[in-house]
Amino acid sequence: MESRVGSTKVIREAITKAKQPPRVWLQAGTATIYEHRFDAPNDEFTGILGGSEPNAPETWRFSIDVAKAWEQAAQDKGPPTLTRLVLLRSAIIMSPDRGGPFDMLLKLVRWGLGGQNGTGRQYVSWIHEADFIRAVYWLIEHDSLSGPVNLAAPNPLPNANFMRDLRQAWGMPVGLPATEWMLEVGAFFLRTETELILKSRRVVPTRLLQQGFTFQFPHWAEAARALCARWRQAAQRGSEK
């Protein structure tokens, strides 16, 4: 909480005091700000902010509190007058880099553990790193957008389908599922929360699509194949050194 809110306040103060303030401020944020839900997608207009949903564990509330305070710090007393403020509500960014979310998920698949997590009904929102970078440049160039913008691929999908597509992209025919109690045990030892896997983040980028942004990887199956190919290439280069 302190690292995100404190750093954002410092940036806002610097922009406010600058004699020549920047034209645009892209403030990092997270799609975790939205409610855990299965019934409908969350976009910037009709999406429901989380924190009070009865079907979510109390331990999930902290990350939502962080997400809300993070955005509020940028808007405290109103955004800087001469600077366009864009709040980036980012989904999980998928890249083949070692230690990242995709690398961790692929490790489960390679070990034969890439089945569904929990019920598998929870939606996974994601964005390919190439589209994330393209969207950032696009937002810098397009002055018509300010306020919250969802950086997420337009087709979130249930966890069971998400893991199935990843197994197929890698060429792994089977994947053992993980029950909620297994995930609880793993989260305990990793000192994290099952929210990272079990929360249904059904987030869509309505504002980007309305303004004409096109995604290079709108569907997870295609993105997973491209990421797996790049992961293999990087692994091969590493073995040749």
Side-chain angles (χ1 to χ4, degrees):
M1 177 74 83
E2 291 180 0
S3 66
R4 288 162 175 78
V5 172
S7 60
T8 302
K9 286 182 176 180
V10 169
I11 294 171
R12 188 191 184 284
E13 182 178 359
I15 292 175
T16 302
K17 293 181 177 180
K19 292 182 179 179
Q20 293 183 323
R23 183 171 56 87
V24 59
W25 173 14
L26 302 185
Q27 174 56 45
T30 173
T32 294
I33 198 170
Y34 290 111
E35 184 177 86
H36 167 70
R37 64 190 301 198
F38 303 93
D39 58 332
N42 286 306
D43 71 2
E44 301 92 340
F45 302 105
T46 62
I48 302 173
L49 301 188
S52 61
E53 55 267 49
N55 57 342
E58 181 67 25
T59 53
W60 291 10
R61 186 164 298 179
F62 175 69
S63 64
I64 295 171
D65 290 342
V66 171
K68 290 180 177 179
W70 202 359
E71 289 192 359
Q72 185 58 44
Q75 303 174 90
D76 189 31
K77 301 177 183 178
T81 304
L82 300 178
T83 299
R84 177 169 57 95
L85 172 61
V86 182
L87 302 170
L88 306 178
R89 293 178 175 174
S90 302
I92 301 173
I93 302 170
M94 295 295 181
S95 78
D97 299 324
R98 296 299 185 266
F102 178 79
D103 183 50
M104 299 300 291
L105 291 169
L106 185 59
K107 185 178 295 184
L108 294 176
V109 168
R110 289 161 47 221
W111 290 350
L113 302 174
Q116 71 182 40
N117 302 123
T119 66
R121 293 177 56 238
Q122 68 274 23
Y123 276 79
V124 180
S125 288
W126 58 276
I127 185 170
H128 190 287
E129 66 166 353
D131 282 327
F132 178 85
I133 295 169
R134 290 175 59 247
V136 165
Y137 278 106
W138 194 90
L139 287 167
I140 292 172
E141 296 169 357
H142 288 74
D143 295 333
S144 58
L145 279 175
S146 62
V149 175
N150 292 344
L151 294 189
N155 297 290
L157 68 171
N159 174 270
N161 302 56
F162 180 88
M163 296 306 296
R164 178 202 63 201
D165 289 349
L166 182 53
R167 292 195 305 272
Q168 291 178 350
W170 185 255
M172 174 62 73
V174 296
L176 296 178
T179 62
E180 289 193 21
W181 73 264
M182 293 177 182
L183 295 171
E184 290 284 356
V185 172
F188 174 80
F189 285 105
L190 292 173
R191 300 178 65 185
T192 185
E193 291 289 343
T194 56
E195 175 191 12
L196 296 171
I197 298 175
L198 295 180
K199 181 174 180 177
S200 187
R201 293 176 174 84
R202 194 174 180 183
V203 179
V204 293
T206 297
R207 297 194 71 196
L208 281 177
L209 294 175
Q210 284 182 347
Q211 295 296 319
F213 180 81
T214 58
F215 284 81
Q216 184 178 350
F217 294 97
H219 299 283
W220 173 239
E222 300 165 358
R225 287 193 295 269
L227 290 167
C228 284
R230 287 177 56 198
W231 193 98
R232 282 190 165 106
Q233 291 171 0
Q236 184 176 1
R237 288 195 299 268
S239 64
E240 292 173 351
K241 291 182 180 179

